[in-house]
């Protein structure tokens, strides 16, 4: 997981006024005409959400608000879709976010309600309760992981320290690369973070999902590793992996699964001392062609 910058709240009031209104549908009058006082009451709930760093409480369900107002805000989330009046909210939240901040595997294509909109209706269009995610992560969270959102760390508010807390354990077994991922419970994380991150990994099946990515990803480095080993042996492989680790840490973040995997491979003596060739075999004539191109 990685943190995301807190999205702007500059449009809080304007969004509420655009989205919450009465309308006619099927011969019925639905919705709610929001008053200035009600706008301020909802914004006060947003303020409470921010002060409590996204923690759940009954006040955030808006018990003092009219039921028609709560229901209309809840329904207004659909207006964040393309060509609807709140599409600017979606554009704001996805700006600069490519991969899912939770798994780092798939593109972020959906918005998750950190506190579920079914229970916390007044927060349905609150920008800081909406988190870009991929479909697999969002679907797994919707399937029942902590209905009050307390299990998931909040990408906006729960600041992660700049240290390695995702671990990869590498084994070479009969020519196969087997890697398992887990949270390092000994890492100097804030109190409770290790358990919550472990819970996220288990709920989202991240270890299995990362394992599915490993072989395809490492295969993309096969030629570079073979050439480095031919040129400089173990030292060359270390240099190649070290450079790739630095590059991918900067491109993603230090606890993204890719640099985590590369750090584990770099520390695995058998892998860097030629064991990689069993996992990533390349024909000699292909290597000679590659060497010829490199030297030509």
């Amino acid at each position: 997981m990685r943190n995301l910058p807190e999205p702007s709240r500059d449009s809080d009031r304007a969004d509420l006024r655009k989205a919450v209104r009465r309308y006619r549908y099927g011969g019925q009058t639905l919705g709610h005409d929001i008053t200035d006082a009600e706008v301020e009451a909802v914004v006060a709930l947003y303020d409470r959400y921010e002060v409590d760093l996204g923690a759940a409480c009954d006040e955030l369900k808006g018990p003092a608000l009219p039921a028609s107002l709560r229901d209309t805000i809840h329904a207004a989330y659909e207006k964040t879709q393309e060509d609807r009046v709140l599409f600017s909210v979606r554009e704001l939240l996805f700006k600069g976010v490519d991969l899912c901040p939770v798994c780092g595997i798939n593109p972020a294509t959906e918005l998750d309600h950190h506190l579920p909109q079914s229970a916390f209706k007044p927060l349905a269009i609150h920008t800081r309760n909406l988190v870009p995610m991929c479909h697999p992560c969002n679907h797994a969270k919707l399937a029942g992981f902590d209905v009050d959102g307390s299990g998931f760390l909040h990408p906006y508010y729960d600041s992660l320290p700049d240290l390695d807390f995702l671990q990869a354990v590498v084994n070479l077994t009969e020519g196969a690369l087997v890697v398992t991922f887990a949270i390092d419970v000994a890492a100097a994380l804030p109190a409770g973070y290790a358990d919550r991150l472990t819970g996220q990994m288990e709920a989202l099946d991240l270890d299995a999902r990362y394992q599915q990515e490993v072989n395809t990803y490492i295969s993309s480095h096969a030629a570079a590793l073979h050439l480095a080993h031919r040129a400089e042996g173990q030292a060359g492989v270390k240099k190649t992996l070290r450079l790739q680790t630095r590059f991918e840490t900067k491109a993603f973040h230090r606890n993204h699964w890719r640099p985590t995997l590369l750090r584990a491979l770099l520390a695995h003596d058998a892998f860097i001392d030629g064991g990689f060739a069993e996992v990533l075999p390349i024909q000699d004539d292909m290597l000679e062609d590659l060497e010829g191109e490199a030297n030509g």
Side-chain angles (χ1 to χ4, degrees), residues 5 59 61-62 64 79 101 106 119 125 132 161 180 188 220 225 238 242 244 250 264 273 276 287:
E59 182 183 343
K61 297 177 181 179
K79 297 180 182 181
N106 303 305
I125 59 171
T180 56
S220 66
L225 293 174
K238 279 188 173 182
R242 191 177 295 114
Q244 193 66 32
K250 187 173 181 179
D273 198 25
F276 70 88
L287 281 172

Side-chain angles (χ1 to χ4, degrees), residues 44-222:
L45 294 183
Y46 294 175
D47 293 341
R48 172 66 186 271
Y49 181 95
E50 187 163 352
V51 168
D52 292 347
L53 304 180
C57 69
D58 286 341
E59 182 183 343
L60 295 178
K61 297 177 181 179
L65 300 175
S68 60
L69 175 56
R70 296 196 303 269
D71 291 341
T72 304
I73 297 174
H74 180 225
Y77 174 68
E78 293 302 318
K79 297 180 182 181
T80 65
Q81 302 300 323
E82 191 169 2
D83 297 328
R84 304 292 300 276
V85 295
L86 292 182
F87 183 57
S88 58
V89 170
R90 186 170 291 265
E91 289 182 306
L92 169 71
L93 293 167
F94 280 109
K95 186 176 181 180
V97 181
D98 296 320
L99 292 178
C100 174
V102 179
C103 70
I105 299 173
N106 303 305
T109 56
E110 301 180 3
L111 290 176
D112 169 67
H113 289 82
H114 180 74
L115 297 183
Q117 60 175 325
S118 58
F120 298 87
K121 293 181 180 182
L123 304 177
I125 59 171
H126 179 33
T127 54
R128 297 188 181 177
N129 191 48
L130 294 168
V131 179
M133 279 190 191
C134 66
H135 175 73
C137 285
N138 193 23
H139 181 73
K141 185 169 182 282
L142 286 171
F145 182 72
D146 286 343
V147 294
D148 66 354
S150 63
F152 264 65
L153 291 180
H154 202 305
Y156 302 140
Y157 296 129
D158 291 325
S159 182
L160 293 165
D162 188 25
L163 54 85
D164 301 331
F165 57 79
L166 180 62
Q167 287 182 321
V169 177
V170 173
N171 285 291
L172 295 178
T173 305
E174 297 180 352
L177 179 65
V178 180
V179 185
T180 56
F181 294 83
I183 300 300
D184 181 3
V185 296
L189 289 163
Y193 275 33
D195 288 341
R196 292 171 71 186
L197 285 166
T198 297
Q200 282 185 207
M201 287 198 65
E202 292 173 352
L204 303 179
D205 203 21
L206 289 184
D207 180 35
R209 289 169 61 194
Y210 290 153
Q211 289 181 41
Q212 290 176 351
E213 302 293 322
V214 164
N215 287 324
T216 300
Y217 167 70
I218 202 62
S219 293
S220 66
H221 299 295

